[in-house]
Amino acid sequence: MIEVLHARKFPLSELVLLASERSAGKSMNTAFGEKQVEAFSVERAQSCDFVLMAVSGGFSTEFSPQITANGKTVVIDNSSAFRYHEDVPLVVPEINRSAMEGKLLIANPNCTTAIAAMALWPLHKSFKLKKIIVSTYQAASGAGAQGMTELEEGTRLALDGKEHPNEVFAHPLPFNVIPHIDSFQSNGYTKEEMKVVWETQKIFDDKTLACSCTAVRIPTKRAHSEAITIETEEDVTPEAAIEVLKSAPGVEVVDSPSEKVYPMPLTSTKKYDVEVGRIRRSLIFAPKGLDLFVSGDQLLRGAALNAVLIAEAKLE
């Protein structure tokens, strides 16, 4: 978040770093120079115009409403605490920035949802989406620094022929894929999969939009990828979809299979735009359907960048 604020020249006069008592007093080298971490308090947070939250859902549930109670501080919450509250906007600025007008508490979407939404919204506007089927390929860093460490250390152990225990993931991740992210729900889907359903419908403001997802953890470090099938109300061709996507903000069309050019975690990592490619007629839904593949940096488009874009939109 700090790197994005600096890179996008966000017009801040002061950067304040708040954390738990355990971290208070530590110095951090940032793009804005060396900063000292302060202990969190509601009063200190309220002294800021914007509070970018990278905290647990429980922390946000307790403190976000207290911070915004002053009637002026904007809280942009990266947790899932308020995403499904009717009166809290869930925002991807390129899609539904108007939803946060007059609101001080704004929810940042799940990273998987945000990446898919960037590609799907322009197609929805032009061809009216009817059904969406998503299969995700999610990097280890989606589970935090601990997830990356477990993948790296486990891979070394596996290459040496040693057992590699798993604590972060449901099973060892090296040389494996795990179709299990978050807890299973009563309908057989995981919570991660249902987040994509609930959040897409809320961001697009369309509860009739049918959506299904299978979320899979894969042994890559960073950037999530998704295979997406859509059925549309209107006839759609790959050529028409590419024209629409080329003019869409936050999207990069990466689609030249004959030259081995398509979206990948290696190329989408550290990139602001979501890569979209492998755009082709759906063999099931054509002429009213497409298959496509997207890849996006879940730490940027799926979290930090989206939070800063929300702050920029609120400033405007």
PDB file of all heavy atoms in Angstrom, residues 91-112:
ATOM      1  N   VAL A  91     -16.177  -1.965  -3.316  1.00  0.00           N
ATOM      2  CA  VAL A  91     -15.854  -1.118  -4.464  1.00  0.00           C
ATOM      3  C   VAL A  91     -14.623  -1.558  -5.237  1.00  0.00           C
ATOM      4  O   VAL A  91     -13.565  -1.844  -4.671  1.00  0.00           O
ATOM      5  CB  VAL A  91     -15.671   0.351  -3.995  1.00  0.00           C
ATOM      6  CG1 VAL A  91     -15.192   1.242  -5.137  1.00  0.00           C
ATOM      7  CG2 VAL A  91     -16.986   0.890  -3.422  1.00  0.00           C
ATOM      8  N   VAL A  92     -14.790  -1.611  -6.555  1.00  0.00           N
ATOM      9  CA  VAL A  92     -13.695  -1.580  -7.521  1.00  0.00           C
ATOM     10  C   VAL A  92     -13.915  -0.283  -8.296  1.00  0.00           C
ATOM     11  O   VAL A  92     -14.888  -0.176  -9.045  1.00  0.00           O
ATOM     12  CB  VAL A  92     -13.718  -2.805  -8.468  1.00  0.00           C
ATOM     13  CG1 VAL A  92     -12.632  -2.667  -9.529  1.00  0.00           C
ATOM     14  CG2 VAL A  92     -13.541  -4.091  -7.691  1.00  0.00           C
ATOM     15  N   PRO A  93     -13.082   0.741  -8.104  1.00  0.00           N
ATOM     16  CA  PRO A  93     -13.395   2.075  -8.615  1.00  0.00           C
ATOM     17  C   PRO A  93     -13.731   2.156 -10.106  1.00  0.00           C
ATOM     18  O   PRO A  93     -14.568   2.955 -10.513  1.00  0.00           O
ATOM     19  CB  PRO A  93     -12.133   2.877  -8.285  1.00  0.00           C
ATOM     20  CG  PRO A  93     -11.581   2.194  -7.088  1.00  0.00           C
ATOM     21  CD  PRO A  93     -11.851   0.733  -7.305  1.00  0.00           C
ATOM     22  N   GLU A  94     -13.090   1.318 -10.915  1.00  0.00           N
ATOM     23  CA  GLU A  94     -13.385   1.340 -12.351  1.00  0.00           C
ATOM     24  C   GLU A  94     -14.794   0.840 -12.665  1.00  0.00           C
ATOM     25  O   GLU A  94     -15.301   1.045 -13.779  1.00  0.00           O
ATOM     26  CB  GLU A  94     -12.376   0.474 -13.122  1.00  0.00           C
ATOM     27  CG  GLU A  94     -10.961   1.008 -13.130  1.00  0.00           C
ATOM     28  CD  GLU A  94     -10.116   0.496 -11.983  1.00  0.00           C
ATOM     29  OE1 GLU A  94     -10.699   0.050 -10.967  1.00  0.00           O
ATOM     30  OE2 GLU A  94      -8.880   0.526 -12.088  1.00  0.00           O
ATOM     31  N   ILE A  95     -15.421   0.210 -11.684  1.00  0.00           N
ATOM     32  CA  ILE A  95     -16.740  -0.389 -11.906  1.00  0.00           C
ATOM     33  C   ILE A  95     -17.848   0.379 -11.199  1.00  0.00           C
ATOM     34  O   ILE A  95     -18.850   0.756 -11.821  1.00  0.00           O
ATOM     35  CB  ILE A  95     -16.740  -1.866 -11.439  1.00  0.00           C
ATOM     36  CG1 ILE A  95     -15.723  -2.678 -12.242  1.00  0.00           C
ATOM     37  CG2 ILE A  95     -18.144  -2.481 -11.562  1.00  0.00           C
ATOM     38  CD1 ILE A  95     -15.536  -4.111 -11.749  1.00  0.00           C
ATOM     39  N   ASN A  96     -17.704   0.605  -9.886  1.00  0.00           N
ATOM     40  CA  ASN A  96     -18.845   1.116  -9.113  1.00  0.00           C
ATOM     41  C   ASN A  96     -18.447   2.182  -8.103  1.00  0.00           C
ATOM     42  O   ASN A  96     -18.894   2.175  -6.960  1.00  0.00           O
ATOM     43  CB  ASN A  96     -19.557  -0.040  -8.402  1.00  0.00           C
ATOM     44  CG  ASN A  96     -18.688  -0.733  -7.357  1.00  0.00           C
ATOM     45  OD1 ASN A  96     -17.462  -0.728  -7.457  1.00  0.00           O
ATOM     46  ND2 ASN A  96     -19.317  -1.320  -6.351  1.00  0.00           N
ATOM     47  N   ARG A  97     -17.609   3.107  -8.528  1.00  0.00           N
ATOM     48  CA  ARG A  97     -17.144   4.155  -7.605  1.00  0.00           C
ATOM     49  C   ARG A  97     -18.295   4.985  -7.046  1.00  0.00           C
ATOM     50  O   ARG A  97     -18.217   5.495  -5.924  1.00  0.00           O
ATOM     51  CB  ARG A  97     -16.107   5.052  -8.283  1.00  0.00           C
ATOM     52  CG  ARG A  97     -16.602   5.785  -9.507  1.00  0.00           C
ATOM     53  CD  ARG A  97     -15.480   6.445 -10.269  1.00  0.00           C
ATOM     54  NE  ARG A  97     -14.977   7.621  -9.592  1.00  0.00           N
ATOM     55  CZ  ARG A  97     -13.786   8.171  -9.834  1.00  0.00           C
ATOM     56  NH1 ARG A  97     -12.976   7.614 -10.713  1.00  0.00           N
ATOM     57  NH2 ARG A  97     -13.411   9.231  -9.192  1.00  0.00           N
ATOM     58  N   SER A  98     -19.381   5.114  -7.795  1.00  0.00           N
ATOM     59  CA  SER A  98     -20.511   5.922  -7.330  1.00  0.00           C
ATOM     60  C   SER A  98     -21.175   5.315  -6.093  1.00  0.00           C
ATOM     61  O   SER A  98     -21.861   6.012  -5.345  1.00  0.00           O
ATOM     62  CB  SER A  98     -21.546   6.080  -8.444  1.00  0.00           C
ATOM     63  OG  SER A  98     -22.067   4.817  -8.827  1.00  0.00           O
ATOM     64  N   ALA A  99     -20.952   4.015  -5.852  1.00  0.00           N
ATOM     65  CA  ALA A  99     -21.572   3.344  -4.703  1.00  0.00           C
ATOM     66  C   ALA A  99     -21.072   3.900  -3.380  1.00  0.00           C
ATOM     67  O   ALA A  99     -21.737   3.762  -2.348  1.00  0.00           O
ATOM     68  CB  ALA A  99     -21.310   1.842  -4.765  1.00  0.00           C
ATOM     69  N   MET A 100     -19.890   4.523  -3.377  1.00  0.00           N
ATOM     70  CA  MET A 100     -19.322   4.986  -2.102  1.00  0.00           C
ATOM     71  C   MET A 100     -19.580   6.469  -1.838  1.00  0.00           C
ATOM     72  O   MET A 100     -19.071   7.024  -0.874  1.00  0.00           O
ATOM     73  CB  MET A 100     -17.827   4.691  -2.045  1.00  0.00           C
ATOM     74  CG  MET A 100     -17.002   5.318  -3.118  1.00  0.00           C
ATOM     75  SD  MET A 100     -15.265   4.785  -2.940  1.00  0.00           S
ATOM     76  CE  MET A 100     -14.583   5.432  -4.461  1.00  0.00           C
ATOM     77  N   GLU A 101     -20.415   7.073  -2.651  1.00  0.00           N
ATOM     78  CA  GLU A 101     -20.735   8.489  -2.435  1.00  0.00           C
ATOM     79  C   GLU A 101     -21.399   8.669  -1.072  1.00  0.00           C
ATOM     80  O   GLU A 101     -22.359   7.975  -0.731  1.00  0.00           O
ATOM     81  CB  GLU A 101     -21.683   8.976  -3.549  1.00  0.00           C
ATOM     82  CG  GLU A 101     -21.748  10.476  -3.652  1.00  0.00           C
ATOM     83  CD  GLU A 101     -22.493  10.931  -4.894  1.00  0.00           C
ATOM     84  OE1 GLU A 101     -22.404  10.269  -5.937  1.00  0.00           O
ATOM     85  OE2 GLU A 101     -23.171  11.963  -4.792  1.00  0.00           O
ATOM     86  N   GLY A 102     -20.847   9.578  -0.277  1.00  0.00           N
ATOM     87  CA  GLY A 102     -21.411   9.854   1.042  1.00  0.00           C
ATOM     88  C   GLY A 102     -21.077   8.820   2.101  1.00  0.00           C
ATOM     89  O   GLY A 102     -21.566   8.898   3.235  1.00  0.00           O
ATOM     90  N   LYS A 103     -20.240   7.828   1.767  1.00  0.00           N
ATOM     91  CA  LYS A 103     -19.893   6.767   2.711  1.00  0.00           C
ATOM     92  C   LYS A 103     -18.463   6.953   3.225  1.00  0.00           C
ATOM     93  O   LYS A 103     -17.565   7.316   2.461  1.00  0.00           O
ATOM     94  CB  LYS A 103     -20.007   5.390   2.035  1.00  0.00           C
ATOM     95  CG  LYS A 103     -21.387   5.077   1.495  1.00  0.00           C
ATOM     96  CD  LYS A 103     -22.356   4.730   2.614  1.00  0.00           C
ATOM     97  CE  LYS A 103     -23.687   4.250   2.052  1.00  0.00           C
ATOM     98  NZ  LYS A 103     -24.629   3.862   3.118  1.00  0.00           N
ATOM     99  N   LEU A 104     -18.255   6.668   4.496  1.00  0.00           N
ATOM    100  CA  LEU A 104     -16.922   6.777   5.088  1.00  0.00           C
ATOM    101  C   LEU A 104     -16.237   5.420   5.245  1.00  0.00           C
ATOM    102  O   LEU A 104     -15.016   5.346   5.265  1.00  0.00           O
ATOM    103  CB  LEU A 104     -16.998   7.470   6.452  1.00  0.00           C
ATOM    104  CG  LEU A 104     -17.400   8.953   6.431  1.00  0.00           C
ATOM    105  CD1 LEU A 104     -17.532   9.484   7.850  1.00  0.00           C
ATOM    106  CD2 LEU A 104     -16.385   9.783   5.656  1.00  0.00           C
ATOM    107  N   LEU A 105     -17.017   4.368   5.362  1.00  0.00           N
ATOM    108  CA  LEU A 105     -16.456   3.018   5.476  1.00  0.00           C
ATOM    109  C   LEU A 105     -16.665   2.287   4.155  1.00  0.00           C
ATOM    110  O   LEU A 105     -17.799   2.133   3.698  1.00  0.00           O
ATOM    111  CB  LEU A 105     -17.129   2.250   6.624  1.00  0.00           C
ATOM    112  CG  LEU A 105     -16.745   0.772   6.820  1.00  0.00           C
ATOM    113  CD1 LEU A 105     -15.234   0.610   6.945  1.00  0.00           C
ATOM    114  CD2 LEU A 105     -17.459   0.189   8.031  1.00  0.00           C
ATOM    115  N   ILE A 106     -15.560   1.879   3.541  1.00  0.00           N
ATOM    116  CA  ILE A 106     -15.612   1.228   2.224  1.00  0.00           C
ATOM    117  C   ILE A 106     -14.854  -0.088   2.306  1.00  0.00           C
ATOM    118  O   ILE A 106     -13.742  -0.144   2.837  1.00  0.00           O
ATOM    119  CB  ILE A 106     -15.006   2.128   1.137  1.00  0.00           C
ATOM    120  CG1 ILE A 106     -15.795   3.439   1.040  1.00  0.00           C
ATOM    121  CG2 ILE A 106     -14.998   1.436  -0.219  1.00  0.00           C
ATOM    122  CD1 ILE A 106     -14.933   4.642   0.902  1.00  0.00           C
ATOM    123  N   ALA A 107     -15.447  -1.146   1.759  1.00  0.00           N
ATOM    124  CA  ALA A 107     -14.819  -2.467   1.779  1.00  0.00           C
ATOM    125  C   ALA A 107     -14.058  -2.714   0.483  1.00  0.00           C
ATOM    126  O   ALA A 107     -14.533  -2.377  -0.608  1.00  0.00           O
ATOM    127  CB  ALA A 107     -15.883  -3.546   1.981  1.00  0.00           C
ATOM    128  N   ASN A 108     -12.871  -3.287   0.620  1.00  0.00           N
ATOM    129  CA  ASN A 108     -12.046  -3.713  -0.510  1.00  0.00           C
ATOM    130  C   ASN A 108     -12.421  -5.167  -0.819  1.00  0.00           C
ATOM    131  O   ASN A 108     -12.509  -5.978   0.098  1.00  0.00           O
ATOM    132  CB  ASN A 108     -10.567  -3.621  -0.107  1.00  0.00           C
ATOM    133  CG  ASN A 108      -9.657  -3.213  -1.239  1.00  0.00           C
ATOM    134  OD1 ASN A 108     -10.097  -2.731  -2.276  1.00  0.00           O
ATOM    135  ND2 ASN A 108      -8.365  -3.392  -1.045  1.00  0.00           N
ATOM    136  N   PRO A 109     -12.622  -5.539  -2.077  1.00  0.00           N
ATOM    137  CA  PRO A 109     -13.081  -6.903  -2.367  1.00  0.00           C
ATOM    138  C   PRO A 109     -12.009  -7.961  -2.127  1.00  0.00           C
ATOM    139  O   PRO A 109     -10.819  -7.666  -2.012  1.00  0.00           O
ATOM    140  CB  PRO A 109     -13.431  -6.860  -3.859  1.00  0.00           C
ATOM    141  CG  PRO A 109     -13.388  -5.434  -4.256  1.00  0.00           C
ATOM    142  CD  PRO A 109     -12.522  -4.722  -3.284  1.00  0.00           C
ATOM    143  N   ASN A 110     -12.450  -9.213  -2.096  1.00  0.00           N
ATOM    144  CA  ASN A 110     -11.545 -10.353  -2.125  1.00  0.00           C
ATOM    145  C   ASN A 110     -10.676 -10.261  -3.380  1.00  0.00           C
ATOM    146  O   ASN A 110     -11.140  -9.856  -4.442  1.00  0.00           O
ATOM    147  CB  ASN A 110     -12.388 -11.629  -2.133  1.00  0.00           C
ATOM    148  CG  ASN A 110     -11.576 -12.882  -2.346  1.00  0.00           C
ATOM    149  OD1 ASN A 110     -11.381 -13.309  -3.472  1.00  0.00           O
ATOM    150  ND2 ASN A 110     -11.105 -13.469  -1.275  1.00  0.00           N
ATOM    151  N   CYS A 111      -9.416 -10.664  -3.255  1.00  0.00           N
ATOM    152  CA  CYS A 111      -8.467 -10.490  -4.357  1.00  0.00           C
ATOM    153  C   CYS A 111      -8.886 -11.263  -5.611  1.00  0.00           C
ATOM    154  O   CYS A 111      -8.752 -10.767  -6.737  1.00  0.00           O
ATOM    155  CB  CYS A 111      -7.065 -10.912  -3.924  1.00  0.00           C
ATOM    156  SG  CYS A 111      -6.973 -12.557  -3.207  1.00  0.00           S
ATOM    157  N   THR A 112      -9.417 -12.470  -5.436  1.00  0.00           N
ATOM    158  CA  THR A 112      -9.831 -13.285  -6.576  1.00  0.00           C
ATOM    159  C   THR A 112     -10.977 -12.617  -7.329  1.00  0.00           C
ATOM    160  O   THR A 112     -11.009 -12.581  -8.562  1.00  0.00           O
ATOM    161  CB  THR A 112     -10.275 -14.684  -6.108  1.00  0.00           C
ATOM    162  OG1 THR A 112      -9.345 -15.167  -5.140  1.00  0.00           O
ATOM    163  CG2 THR A 112     -10.359 -15.657  -7.251  1.00  0.00           C
TER     164      THR A 112
END
